[in-house]
Structure formats: structure tokens, C-alpha cells
Amino acid sequence: MIRIYTQKEQGEEWLRRYRGCLPVFACVLGFTETGLIPGISAAGRTPEDRKYTACADAEFLYYGPEHKAQYPLPPLAAGASPVLISRAVFESLKIPVHLFNAGLPQPPAVPVIDLGGAPAKCLSGGAAMEITTVHHLFEQGLLWGERLATNIQQGYLIIGECVVGGTTTALAILTGLGIDAAGKVNSSHPVCNHTQKWALVQTGLEKINFQSQIQNSVDPLELVAAVGDPMQVVVAGMAIAASRSCGVMLAGGTQMLAVYALMSAIAQAYALSWQPEAIVVGTTRWVAEDPTGATVDLALNLGKTSLTESGRTPPLLATHLSFADSRYPQLRAYEQGFVKEGIGAGAACIAAHLSQHWQQHQLLAAIEAQFERLSTALNQS
């Protein structure tokens, strides 16, 4: 049920250590205006829908399908939101969920810890966020990472995200750190829109005279301020701090590989202690084996630049959950390359297997039950 794609020994050691343990889930919500560009993301049919995707996912994750949502799940071009997967597992296993607002255009209608951030502007401008906001969010990440880890005796912390357009800001951060990432990232589209993403990233990096900077080593926090999003720096801080005392699973694909690279660069640039061997990246098979991306190559490239040497390459794990036999076309759409991952979906399935030894049939049954309940609730309203 769990496959290890990189750093096999370290990944196996991590899985052995946390078998039978229940995690705590922290989900960091953020926003970048990059996500409003037509065609950039399939996480919401229109740019207007995508403004509310993070709020809708947070609300569903917290309250479940029967709750009358202030922000209903947005219509997708195809498929169903990955939050169905996360909710199915966290509800069944009673995994504690903490939601953080790193910078959304409007507050979500759920109990959320507000970190005092702000939404990012489009990365193509090369001035996505104020540097003071980035420093503040990083400090908040360190603080909450330590706080959450203090209450975890034997288990581990899963850190997930919801940022529409986040694979494009991830590409910008990876490229800015000197990592060969062009054509390797994933997207919510069945065929990744690499050309569109790369054009935006090049425009943003040119605005900060990036080529001249890379030789002089780039300040990773300034890079986030230029072309990043508010989630990235919060998760980086959280994971650095938590890794000192417990296991950490970064939940996602491209975006969490970018966060891992960012952590390595920040720890190096600011001489911060962290435990890279405590950290794994956990995602879905749809991301790890995405034929229109190159997630494994990307993971292997992380340690190849002097800016990220301290972290080398993280173990990349994926759940082998399949929707090929699902009764619902919205779930079968995942097998055609729609949606793929989000809100910690892959990590949730890995956690279910690790703690309760759930297999494919148990996962599928729990996820289909969520889908049925959501359909029933929608029909009744």
C-alpha cells in the first residue's frame, strides 16, 4: 500500500519507526493571485471559484459532508475534491486536525489559527509578498511547529496545504534555489501546463535580476517574498522546528518538495538546527507516477545544488490507493489524471495504512461513503 520512490533505506526506517502510531494533522491554507490566471489550475472551474477553494476544503475537512457549508466545494472540470480522501481517513481514525490561515483573501468559516499573513500577489511581478510578512510567517511556523511537536509523544506530525496555483509558486522557488525543475512539476490538469507555468516563473525571476543573484547565493526568505506564497514559509518553519523532536510527513508532491528544498536552504542560510532524517514527503501514486510530470526526478534533484546541501534528498513515499474500481465516475477521474492530490490526501492514506493497516478495500469504502454522504446532502439541499 505504500511505495518508497527515493531514499529507500531512510524511508523504510521512518515507516518502521511510526508503524502503529497515530499522527496529528496540521493544514496550512494560503493564497496566491497566480491561481487566478485562466487555465493555471483545475482546482475550481473558474478564477472566481478558485478564490474560495481553500475555504471550502477547510470547511469540509473540519465539519464533513452533512454540514451546510458557507463555502461549498467548488465545481471541478472533472473529478472530486481530494478533501474527500483526507476527511474519510481523519474522521474514521479520529486524527486531530489543526487549521492555519497563512494568508487567505477571506477568513474561512471554520475554527482556524490566524497567523497574521496576507495573500501573495502573482509571482510574475517578482514582488509576491512583503519581506516583513515572510519573516513574520516563518517565525510563526517555527513557533507552531515546536508547539505541535511538544504534544506528540510517540507519533508524528503531518503537514498539509491548500494553495490553488501552488505548483507554479513551487516551480519558482525550486528554480530560484538552482534546482532543475522545469517540466518536472505536477498540476491538477491531466496534462501538465508546463509552458504556461515556466513562462510565469521566468517573468517573475527576471524581475528580481535573479541570474546575477544566484551566483552570490540567494536569500531563501527574499526568494519567497519575490515569487513564493504564504504557505511555503510557514510549513518550512513548522517542519524545521517539529523535526527536532518528532517525525514529520510533508503531505503533497511538487509543493512539498519545494518546501523541503526551502527548508534546506533556510537552515543553511540562517544556521538553524533541524533533523532531515526525521522528514519524509508523502503523496499519492497519481502524483509520484504522473506521466506528464517527473516527481521522482525532481526529488532526486533536490540535493544537487550548494544552496540545499544540508537536506540532501528526502524519502518520497506514496499511497497506492486506486480508484480504478470505484462506482463513481468522479473518483475514477483520478485514474485519468484529474485532481491527483491536495489537503494531505496521500499522507492520510499512508497514515491509515501505518496505524490501522488499512488496505485498498478499506480506504475505497471509507472514501466512497464520504462521497455518498456528500451527494445525499447536496440532493437534499
Side-chain angles (χ1 to χ4, degrees):
M1 273 308 289
I2 303 171
R3 184 159 168 210
I4 306 170
Y5 292 83
T6 59
Q7 301 291 44
K8 209 161 170 49
E9 278 174 29
Q10 191 187 330
E12 276 165 3
E13 177 52 41
W14 195 97
L15 290 172
R16 251 197 313 278
R17 183 162 179 190
Y18 296 107
R19 190 153 279 130
C21 299
L22 266 188
V24 167
F25 182 61
C27 191
V28 180
L29 313 167
F31 187 80
T32 165
E33 288 177 5
T34 312
L36 301 178
I37 292 170
I40 197 73
S41 168
R45 199 174 288 165
T46 66
E48 187 60 24
D49 289 333
R50 296 198 285 273
K51 268 186 203 161
Y52 305 106
T53 300
C55 288
D57 282 345
E59 213 171 329
F60 189 91
L61 185 68
Y62 195 86
Y63 290 115
E66 283 79 25
H67 171 76
K68 180 109 185 66
Q70 185 178 325
Y71 298 107
L73 291 173
L76 306 179
S81 170
V83 75
L84 284 158
I85 301 172
S86 314
R87 169 75 196 184
V89 171
F90 296 152
E91 183 181 29
S92 303
L93 272 50
K94 302 192 169 34
I95 289 171
V97 172
H98 304 272
L99 297 168
F100 294 86
N101 178 358
L104 290 172
Q106 62 287 315
V110 287
V112 58
I113 297 151
D114 195 320
L115 299 176
K121 297 191 182 73
C122 181
L123 67 87
S124 60
M129 287 181 284
E130 299 288 337
I131 187 69
T132 48
T133 305
V134 173
H135 280 277
H136 169 77
L137 286 173
F138 181 64
E139 293 296 330
Q140 289 289 309
L142 287 171
L143 180 82
W144 279 101
E146 191 178 336
R147 242 178 232 180
L148 291 166
T150 307
N151 299 323
I152 297 172
Q153 258 58 57
Q154 300 302 316
Y156 56 100
L157 177 65
I158 296 178
I159 312 178
E161 56 70 37
C162 186
V163 181
V164 175
T167 55
T168 308
T169 49
L171 175 61
I173 294 298
L174 289 159
T175 307
L177 292 173
I179 293 158
D180 172 21
K184 293 181 167 58
V185 301
N186 309 101
S187 79
S188 46
H189 292 287
V191 175
C192 185
N193 47 334
H194 291 298
T195 314
Q196 185 185 23
K197 289 179 191 297
W198 185 238
L200 286 165
V201 167
Q202 283 184 299
T203 307
L205 291 174
E206 274 161 17
K207 297 259 166 64
I208 57 170
N209 297 327
F210 159 71
Q211 269 350 62
S212 61
Q213 275 193 339
I214 199 157
Q215 281 78 33
N216 315 327
S217 93
V218 62
D219 178 315
L221 294 179
E222 285 179 13
L223 180 66
V224 174
V227 294
D229 68 56
M231 173 280 292
Q232 294 165 326
V233 68
V234 172
V235 176
M238 236 179 226
I240 283 172
S243 75
R244 297 167 185 163
S245 59
C246 74
V248 177
M249 184 182 295
L250 296 172
T254 304
Q255 287 173 266
M256 288 306 178
L257 290 174
V259 166
Y260 187 90
L262 189 60
M263 290 165 63
S264 308
I266 292 170
Q268 213 161 292
Y270 291 88
L272 297 175
S273 70
W274 67 308
Q275 299 297 326
E277 59 287 349
I279 300 173
V280 295
V281 176
T283 187
T284 63
R285 161 181 79 80
W286 302 299
V287 166
E289 299 177 9
D290 177 3
T292 76
T295 317
V296 176
D297 277 3
L298 183 57
L300 292 170
N301 282 349
L302 289 197
K304 289 183 184 167
T305 153
S306 60
L307 293 173
T308 57
E309 263 164 354
S310 68
R312 298 176 307 278
T313 303
L316 175 69
L317 320 176
T319 169
H320 263 237
L321 171 66
S322 166
F323 286 150
D325 300 330
S326 174
R327 298 194 302 262
Y328 299 107
Q330 292 90 332
L331 295 177
R332 291 200 301 274
Y334 278 72
E335 300 299 335
Q336 277 95 56
F338 291 95
V339 193
K340 297 189 193 69
E341 165 69 292
I343 303 279
C349 297
I350 293 170
H353 183 73
L354 264 189
S355 69
Q356 307 291 319
H357 207 70
W358 273 23
Q359 300 300 321
Q360 160 71 22
H361 63 276
Q362 286 149 301
L363 276 172
L364 184 61
I367 296 158
E368 288 194 331
Q370 283 287 327
F371 188 81
E372 270 158 43
R373 283 163 56 195
L374 176 61
S375 305
T376 308
L378 290 174
N379 290 338
Q380 284 168 354
S381 64

